[in-house]
Amino acid sequence: MANFNIDSKKARTYDAIVIGSGISGGWSAKELTERGLKTLVLERGRDVQHIKDYPTTNMMPWEFEHRDRLPKEITDANPIASRCYNFKESSAHFFAKDNEHPYVQEKPFDWIRGYQVGGKSLLWARQTQRWSKYDFEGPARDKFAVEWPIGYDDIAPWYSHVEKFAGITGNKDGLDTLPDGEFLAPHELNCVEKYFKEQVSKQYKDRHFIIGRAAHITDPQQIHLDQGRAKCQSRTICERGCPFGGYFSSNASTIPWAMKTGNMTLRPHSVVHSVIYDDKKQKATGVRVIDANTKQMMEFYADIIFVNAAALNTNLILLNSISSRFPNGLGNDSGVLGQYIAFHNYRAHVSAEYEGFLDSTDDGRRPNGGYIPRFRNVYKQETDFLRGYAAGFGASRDTYSDQDGIGESLKASLHETKYGNWSVGSHMMGETIPKESNYVALDKDLKDPFGIPQLKISVDYDDNDEKMIKDYVEQVTEMFTNAGFKNIKAHDGHRNPGNDIHEMGGVRMGKDPKTSMLNKWNQLHACKNVFVTDGASMTSTSTQNPSLTYMAFSARAVDYAVKQMKAKSL
């Protein structure tokens, strides 16, 4: 029996464990397995294999029973998921359902999750902007919250590393506020967008409008062909899963790449309960897992552990990882675990019409849009609010058909497309400030279906956010007016925090172990063989879409961890 137990434990022992298979977990797995480490990847949801498990990817609109709309009984049963624009008949199977994965909202918070291999990398908006030095320097500049322990120069080579593999389209714009990357051919702006770009450049020295940077292959390189991926077909139904691998996802890219090494074991249906800490060894030795199908608890062991469960689930796992050494959560000597949660403020929109270029229209599809990089409080504090916002911008030609008449005349009218003015629109992407009052914690009474404490979320907007919304509306309205746009309208959607799906923090990086959880290598200050490289690690949010930064953090941290292992320092 003793030998059987030894053999059983040996079969459950690896060099490394990665918790989560989304964007950051996929990158951690790829980098670990490439370096020869036998790696166990734990995913709480089902397996989703590239192409094979994209059931709706080639369906036509008329093949959906409800024409890609969800029946009322489904939206009523999933009010949180239904507030995400990608929750459709064609993609609902990639969303966690509200009643199956409960949590406690002390304040309204839309926690959008994708529980399957690949996580939300199947559903993301694929926008990929680098941070600049000014983004990393923000907290030090305005003295709010803690400083980042790294700067742009530390992460720049790792941005390049992940961009080349993932495939990023973009234009070399030469902006110090939004550094250029390793870009594939850019998408084109249409005529009204080009006009707006000219107007912004003419009227503002500190503002710019560019084509977005996105994880779409526009010009396949050998590294993409080696992954079995092809050029993006601009189908713009990405949330169904792309059979061409035209956009980056863990399923199309990092997970199969890691599998090819022969060093990865992928275990779906594995809900991580906690990380195991050994008081005698003074390090983490493995993880406790609940099998999602059998509810059986089991343990797996490894020398290093990467927690990439997505920001709030990473907080939950660490909070639930208690021991005599860490009674308040793994590595939580500072007491800040679960605190200083932040997100992106997407509440405000501005729309308008343009009466020019009536001899032109747009044609085809483009899985990308225009982008106005942040221009507020970049170099110095200049407004009555902290930090700033970026903005999206796009233009399209309105079309309509005459619906008068009946019979043959109506049919003929419907076939004749008529054109109206151009519609233009912008949405804000504001940085929120990490505050102690925005936190997550374990509920003392309520459990989820696996017996794990439910996560209690208390996150809200503040006065800084309201001032930022006001400034965004004023500035974009001014830019639209100066460009000659008409019928300008501003709208505050009052969307809940979380609906941006960019929640960050709770396990933040920092220079001082007394005020942060992670050091400059995304390594727990108090438990050196545990690394966190997803959104939980973020010290501040800046305004850029964060996924590219998670990728770069993951690759950088793995490189450091493996070197430390070889030096026997972990």
Side-chain angles (χ1 to χ4, degrees):
M1 182 63 70
N3 288 337
F4 176 79
N5 289 337
I6 292 171
D7 290 343
S8 174
K9 184 172 182 178
K10 185 177 180 181
R12 290 177 284 118
T13 299
Y14 299 81
D15 298 322
I17 292 174
V18 177
I19 302 172
S21 62
I23 277 181
S24 63
W27 268 98
S28 295
K30 169 193 174 291
E31 298 293 312
L32 287 163
T33 56
E34 279 186 325
R35 286 165 172 79
L37 274 67
K38 297 296 183 182
T39 303
L40 173 66
V41 177
L42 297 168
E43 168 55 52
R44 66 177 293 152
R46 64 189 176 94
D47 193 11
V48 171
Q49 295 183 29
H50 182 48
I51 304 177
K52 174 186 172 185
D53 294 320
Y54 305 156
T56 62
T57 190
N58 288 319
M59 289 176 63
M60 295 297 178
W62 56 86
E63 295 182 280
F64 291 97
E65 183 179 359
H66 307 100
R67 297 298 189 268
D68 210 16
R69 298 177 65 185
L70 287 168
K72 187 175 185 296
E73 58 266 27
I74 293 179
T75 57
D76 286 351
N78 295 278
I80 297 166
S82 294
R83 286 193 284 271
C84 180
Y85 67 95
N86 269 339
F87 190 65
K88 309 172 185 175
E89 189 176 20
S90 59
S91 56
H93 48 280
F94 290 144
F95 284 80
K97 304 307 182 289
D98 293 4
N99 61 346
E100 296 173 9
H101 303 281
Y103 63 99
V104 179
Q105 300 181 63
E106 283 204 339
K107 298 175 182 176
F109 187 93
D110 291 348
W111 191 10
I112 309 296
R113 292 157 288 172
Y115 289 159
Q116 63 265 325
V117 169
K120 296 192 296 292
S121 76
L122 289 165
L123 297 165
W124 66 311
R126 307 166 307 284
Q127 294 296 298
T128 45
Q129 309 97 4
R130 290 188 180 200
W131 280 37
S132 73
K133 60 176 290 188
Y134 307 106
D135 299 303
F136 285 104
E137 293 170 357
R141 189 167 52 250
D142 57 35
K143 308 300 181 186
F144 191 95
V146 302
E147 296 180 18
W148 278 89
I150 62 170
Y152 177 72
D153 290 343
D154 296 302
I155 200 69
W158 296 101
Y159 276 139
S160 292
H161 175 74
V162 300
E163 286 166 343
K164 290 174 184 176
F165 189 85
I168 308 297
T169 173
N171 188 61
K172 297 277 189 180
D173 298 299
L175 305 178
D176 63 342
T177 54
L178 198 74
D180 292 331
E182 308 291 339
F183 294 145
L184 304 174
H187 289 116
E188 267 196 85
L189 298 171
N190 63 39
C191 58
V192 173
E193 292 166 344
K194 289 177 181 176
Y195 164 77
F196 183 63
K197 179 180 178 68
E198 293 170 359
Q199 294 300 305
V200 171
S201 298
K202 185 187 301 182
Q203 297 174 36
Y204 301 94
K205 292 182 178 180
D206 63 341
R207 303 184 191 186
H208 308 275
F209 172 61
I210 63 174
I211 187 63
R213 295 152 183 197
H216 286 265
I217 298 175
T218 54
D219 178 22
Q221 303 299 299
Q222 189 60 48
I223 189 61
H224 308 124
L225 301 177
D226 291 345
Q227 295 172 51
R229 298 170 61 201
K231 182 177 180 179
C232 170
Q233 303 297 298
S234 296
R235 304 192 313 157
T236 63
I237 49 174
C238 311
E239 67 278 359
R240 302 183 189 182
C242 179
F244 303 94
Y247 75 85
F248 174 85
S249 68
S250 295
N251 309 70
S253 181
T254 48
I255 293 294
W257 190 269
M259 191 68 80
K260 285 180 185 177
T261 67
N263 293 323
M264 185 181 80
T265 300
L266 176 63
R267 194 179 198 282
H269 304 293
S270 299
V271 180
V272 173
H273 174 279
S274 54
V275 177
I276 304 166
Y277 183 82
D278 189 308
D279 289 334
K280 292 181 179 178
K281 294 181 179 179
Q282 296 186 340
K283 68 176 186 177
T285 55
V287 298
R288 297 182 188 90
V289 170
I290 299 171
D291 186 287
N293 295 319
T294 67
K295 303 297 194 295
Q296 177 187 358
M297 178 85 80
M298 60 192 71
E299 296 181 353
F300 296 92
Y301 308 95
D303 293 326
I304 57 173
I305 298 166
F306 273 70
V307 189
N308 296 121
L312 297 191
N313 269 323
T314 287
N315 276 272
L316 189 158
I317 290 168
L318 295 182
L319 285 164
N320 203 42
S321 301
I322 57 175
S323 61
S324 57
R325 168 67 180 85
F326 296 112
N328 299 311
L330 183 65
N332 192 21
D333 287 344
S334 62
V336 300
L337 176 60
Q339 298 177 3
Y340 302 99
I341 301 295
F343 55 99
H344 278 153
N345 180 355
Y346 276 38
R347 270 173 44 186
H349 301 256
V350 181
S351 63
E353 295 180 8
Y354 185 53
E355 297 173 354
F357 294 101
L358 297 183
D359 59 344
S360 301
T361 185
D362 51 349
D363 188 34
R365 300 181 177 95
R366 183 185 66 192
N368 197 359
Y371 188 78
I372 303 170
R374 172 185 168 187
F375 55 87
R376 285 303 209 198
N377 303 323
V378 176
Y379 307 106
K380 62 181 180 180
Q381 185 63 35
E382 57 187 1
T383 68
D384 64 346
F385 59 86
L386 296 175
R387 314 293 167 81
Y389 51 83
F393 176 85
S396 61
R397 188 79 187 273
D398 294 334
T399 61
Y400 65 97
S401 297
D402 186 349
Q403 298 185 18
D404 291 335
I406 57 174
E408 290 299 324
S409 64
L410 175 59
K411 290 181 181 180
S413 296
L414 292 175
H415 276 290
E416 182 183 353
T417 300
K418 297 184 178 181
Y419 292 93
N421 291 330
W422 285 82
S423 288
V424 300
S426 171
H427 64 278
M428 77 174 292
M429 295 174 272
E431 177 172 0
T432 64
I433 305 300
K435 301 182 297 294
E436 189 176 4
S437 59
N438 279 352
Y439 67 89
V440 297
L442 301 182
D443 191 272
K444 295 179 180 178
D445 302 311
L446 297 174
K447 308 287 185 183
D448 71 7
F450 305 101
I452 297 171
Q454 289 188 28
L455 194 66
K456 181 170 57 179
I457 304 175
S458 183
V459 175
D460 203 355
Y461 295 101
D462 64 10
D463 185 56
N464 197 71
D465 301 318
E466 301 299 334
K467 290 177 180 177
M468 191 181 293
I469 290 170
K470 182 175 182 290
D471 190 77
Y472 161 80
V473 169
E474 289 174 352
Q475 296 306 312
V476 173
T477 298
E478 176 190 287
M479 294 164 74
F480 278 16
T481 301
N482 290 343
F485 299 158
K486 307 293 185 182
N487 195 23
I488 301 171
K489 298 177 181 178
H491 174 66
D492 182 347
H494 294 287
R495 60 200 291 177
N496 292 335
N499 192 259
D500 52 282
I501 324 181
H502 289 173
E503 56 269 18
M504 294 175 243
V507 195
R508 68 182 179 186
M509 297 169 70
K511 297 178 179 179
D512 187 350
K514 294 179 181 178
T515 57
S516 62
M517 291 289 295
L518 305 170
N519 66 14
K520 65 180 180 180
W521 301 108
N522 294 80
Q523 178 184 35
L524 281 176
H525 290 299
C527 187
K528 299 296 187 183
N529 66 329
V530 175
F531 295 79
V532 176
T533 60
D534 62 13
S537 68
M538 300 296 275
T539 307
S540 61
T541 74
S542 195
T543 60
Q544 290 89 321
N545 297 63
S547 296
L548 183 70
T549 300
Y550 304 163
M551 298 184 208
F553 279 169
S554 299
R556 179 176 180 266
V558 168
D559 182 69
Y560 173 79
V562 173
K563 288 176 180 176
Q564 291 295 297
M565 284 183 70
K566 290 180 179 178
K568 302 190 184 304
S569 297
L570 288 182

